[in-house]
Amino acid sequence: MKLSKFSSFEWKKFSRSSYFEKGVVVKILLILGALYFIGLAAFLGFAIIFGLEKAIPDQDPFVTLNNFLIYYVLADLGFRYFLQQLPVMNIKPFMIIPVKRSKVINYLLLKTSLSFFNILPILFFLPVTGVLIYKSYDVLGSIIWFISFLSISFCINYANFLINKTQVFFYAIISVLAVLVGLEYFSVYPVSDLFGDLFYGFYTDKYWAIIPIGLVYVLFKANYNYILKHFYLDGAIVEKKESVKQYDLSFLNRFGKLSTFLKNDVRMILRNARPKQVVMMSFLFLFYGLFFYTQDIYQDMPAFLAFASMFITGGFLISFGQLVPSWDSEYYKLMMSQNISYRQYLESKWLLMVVACVISFILSTPYIYFGWKIYLMIAAGASFNIGLNSFITLYGGALNRVPIELNQKAKAFSNTNGFNPTQLLISLPKILGPMIIFYIPYKLLNFNAGLIALAASGVLGLIFKQKFLSIVENVYQKGKYKTLAAFNEKQ
């Protein structure tokens, strides 16, 4: 069977899916967003050499660019891990017909190369290469430098596949990155200079390009062998029995009727891979303020400080709340067939997010080091998260109907990211809201007025809690059957 035949099957599956005709407006906005980023990448590619030449006239702009590209590589790896959807296909039908496993696996891996995240680097590095040739840099060296970074992009692509599928690879990558960042941060060894010399070496010592090209092959084979190891009908059909730990959650009984839902959510988080990743990512949000509070440029832009303050305590709320009710997609039909209160279901999710915000606020206490003004802004951001952002997030969850398969480790061929582009649109009021609420009183009066307005918005949200919950409940009730149909359909 030719690889083009697989593409034909995938297109028919996509075009015949109910998802194909849904969300036309969202699709248009996403296309416009993609065109924007494509244009931005191309513009930066053309302008960056000229910009560095003007900014640092005493140094070769190409050398300067290579010194900073390690940060691009790290950022690309991070964005892919949290945002990139891994292409998948239903491999079970191919297991019972005479199709070589190697062809199916090769197609699956080659399909990952068509990711939007692989197209952007081409649109950035290709104009850079053109500018280098235009400015009389070595033609062959510039082309090999471009091929090297294209190879690095594919390395990140295949590494991301392994990181999402195997916990061992994930922790290995995290450990290496932690060591490199530690060496650079504590001035033990200039890691950025080392990588800058390596990247520039792709241009000067052209044989260095063998390193990224060879690494692409190694990572491709690692993915191939991993999939081949799990490419068996019994592994795809027969589920492995695992022992399940029991947890004493009796302390949640104090919440009355909500305790049943809270216990289910806590067990889900403790027992499954994907929710554990959300908790880990939420913890990383606590360090978000270090980027803003340590930069002098943001001290004169308090609206951005308000944005950062909201993120510090809103990590779990944003990452967990935006996927309500997708967390329950595997048993949502069962839940909806029971005599349970939708209001109690939503209120339990709200309460879980509120508790997480309170814990995050307590853990953010060390930010007092930057002054009470910053800490009070974090407190105001926590108030906004608890009183307003929690309801906005729950409301947005009603529009998110992408099912989530909770345990990534157990399913080698399933889409484990659960990322819905609609979330990007829903995130706009959550991001711009605290900035606007703070900035208007700040501009008209003073800094304290902005703080009071941001904190008061959360207090008002708590006062009108029942009204907001009724609005959110009504949205969920209206979209109940659409949600059931979406969860019932495998993407």
Side-chain angles (χ1 to χ4, degrees):
M1 184 180 293
K2 295 181 179 179
L3 293 180
S4 58
K5 196 66 176 177
F6 291 117
S7 299
S8 173
F9 290 149
E10 290 290 290
W11 171 251
K12 288 177 181 176
K13 176 186 174 183
F14 171 70
S15 60
R16 294 171 180 174
S17 167
S18 62
Y19 288 96
F20 185 74
E21 297 179 355
K22 291 180 181 178
V24 176
V25 175
V26 173
K27 287 184 176 65
I28 293 173
L29 290 175
L30 289 174
I31 291 172
L32 293 175
L35 291 174
Y36 168 77
F37 283 109
I38 287 172
L40 183 62
F43 172 77
L44 288 175
F46 280 114
I48 194 165
I49 293 294
F50 297 106
L52 290 173
E53 199 171 36
K54 288 184 178 180
I56 313 175
D58 298 332
Q59 188 173 346
D60 184 345
F62 188 40
V63 174
T64 306
L65 174 63
N66 281 283
N67 289 337
F68 283 103
L69 282 177
I70 181 58
Y71 300 107
Y72 155 79
V73 172
L74 295 178
D76 192 20
L77 183 61
F79 277 118
R80 285 176 187 259
Y81 177 73
F82 290 114
L83 297 179
Q84 184 179 8
Q85 258 189 337
L86 300 180
V88 293
M89 62 186 296
N90 185 7
I91 52 93
K92 292 179 186 177
F94 298 104
M95 291 179 168
I96 55 176
I97 60 176
V99 177
K100 289 184 178 181
R101 289 184 296 171
S102 59
K103 286 192 174 182
V104 179
I105 297 171
N106 284 330
Y107 174 78
L108 179 64
L109 292 176
L110 290 174
K111 188 180 174 183
T112 67
S113 304
L114 300 177
S115 166
F116 179 71
F117 289 89
N118 289 331
I119 296 174
L120 281 181
I122 297 176
L123 296 173
F124 172 75
F125 288 107
L126 189 59
V128 171
T129 305
V131 171
L132 292 175
I133 295 174
Y134 170 78
K135 295 182 74 66
S136 302
Y137 283 81
D138 180 59
V139 175
L140 181 60
S142 300
I143 293 174
I144 291 179
W145 179 84
F146 167 73
I147 294 173
S148 299
F149 268 96
L150 191 60
S151 301
I152 289 174
S153 177
F154 283 105
C155 286
I156 297 173
N157 178 74
Y158 293 126
N160 183 46
F161 195 102
L162 287 173
I163 290 172
N164 277 275
K165 296 298 182 182
T166 59
Q167 294 286 327
V168 174
F169 200 85
F170 170 76
Y171 289 117
I173 290 289
I174 290 295
S175 300
V176 171
L177 291 180
V179 170
L180 294 177
V181 171
L183 292 173
E184 179 74 23
Y185 182 79
F186 294 106
S187 301
V188 177
Y189 188 83
V191 176
S192 58
D193 292 342
L194 173 66
F195 279 98
D197 293 339
L198 173 63
F199 296 154
Y200 189 67
F202 296 148
Y203 169 78
T204 56
D205 303 313
K206 302 172 183 59
Y207 55 86
W208 280 24
I210 297 174
I211 297 175
I213 294 173
L215 196 55
V216 171
Y217 176 78
V218 170
L219 290 171
F220 185 93
K221 291 299 291 183
N223 277 286
Y224 180 92
N225 293 332
Y226 176 81
I227 298 175
L228 184 63
K229 183 180 177 181
H230 297 82
F231 199 101
Y232 292 98
L233 194 58
D234 346 354
I237 295 178
V238 180
E239 298 213 353
K240 213 172 170 184
K241 293 183 180 178
E242 297 182 1
S243 59
V244 178
K245 293 182 180 179
Q246 296 293 327
Y247 300 95
D248 182 14
L249 302 176
S250 57
F251 66 93
L252 293 173
N253 292 335
R254 69 188 67 183
F255 294 104
K257 294 180 180 179
L258 301 182
S259 62
T260 302
F261 300 104
L262 291 172
K263 289 177 182 178
N264 286 338
D265 285 333
V266 172
R267 290 191 189 101
M268 176 189 69
I269 292 172
L270 293 174
R271 291 174 177 175
N272 296 283
R274 180 67 194 276
K276 287 180 182 177
Q277 289 181 350
V278 165
V279 173
M280 180 189 67
M281 186 172 68
S282 304
F283 179 74
L284 296 178
F285 271 73
L286 287 170
F287 301 95
Y288 197 81
L290 295 177
F291 177 78
F292 285 87
Y293 302 149
T294 57
Q295 304 293 324
D296 293 335
I297 188 174
Y298 293 110
Q299 303 307 313
D300 297 326
M301 295 187 290
F304 284 94
L305 296 183
F307 164 76
S309 300
M310 181 274 294
F311 256 63
I312 289 171
T313 57
F316 183 84
L317 181 149
I318 294 171
S319 54
F320 178 87
Q322 69 181 356
L323 294 176
V324 174
S326 294
W327 293 116
D328 305 308
S329 59
E330 294 187 354
Y331 47 86
Y332 200 69
K333 284 197 296 184
L334 175 63
M335 288 180 59
M336 293 299 103
S337 65
Q338 305 299 310
N339 185 23
I340 63 173
S341 168
Y342 227 137
R343 169 67 69 92
Q344 291 174 5
Y345 169 77
L346 293 171
E347 191 170 359
S348 69
K349 302 292 186 185
W350 176 84
L351 184 59
L352 190 65
M353 291 187 286
V354 167
V355 171
C357 282
V358 172
I359 294 174
S360 297
F361 176 64
I362 295 172
L363 294 176
S364 69
T365 303
Y367 278 109
I368 294 176
Y369 171 81
F370 294 100
W372 283 101
K373 184 175 76 171
I374 294 296
Y375 190 64
L376 289 174
M377 184 171 281
I378 294 174
S383 176
F384 170 82
N385 282 328
I386 292 171
L388 277 185
N389 210 2
S390 54
F391 297 111
I392 296 172
T393 304
L394 277 179
Y395 185 93
L399 308 177
N400 176 31
R401 302 187 178 104
V402 177
I404 291 178
E405 296 184 1
L406 296 173
N407 200 337
Q408 293 187 356
K409 294 183 292 185
K411 299 184 182 296
F413 299 98
S414 58
N415 185 352
T416 57
N417 280 285
F419 173 73
N420 181 7
T422 308
Q423 296 166 15
L424 296 178
L425 303 177
I426 297 169
S427 297
L428 290 178
K430 292 187 286 187
I431 293 172
L432 298 178
M435 298 175 69
I436 295 173
I437 293 172
F438 172 85
Y439 185 75
I440 294 176
Y442 161 76
K443 197 67 177 175
L444 296 177
L445 299 172
N446 53 40
F447 182 86
N448 291 334
L451 278 184
I452 293 172
L454 188 58
S457 67
V459 175
L460 286 174
L462 290 177
I463 293 173
F464 294 101
K465 170 191 167 186
Q466 297 304 324
K467 178 64 176 178
F468 287 148
L469 276 176
S470 297
I471 295 173
V472 173
E473 180 188 7
N474 187 44
V475 174
Y476 275 80
Q477 289 283 15
K478 285 184 177 179
K480 175 180 176 179
Y481 294 103
K482 289 182 179 179
T483 304
L484 287 169
F487 289 166
N488 192 46
E489 180 177 337
K490 296 293 183 181
Q491 295 193 73

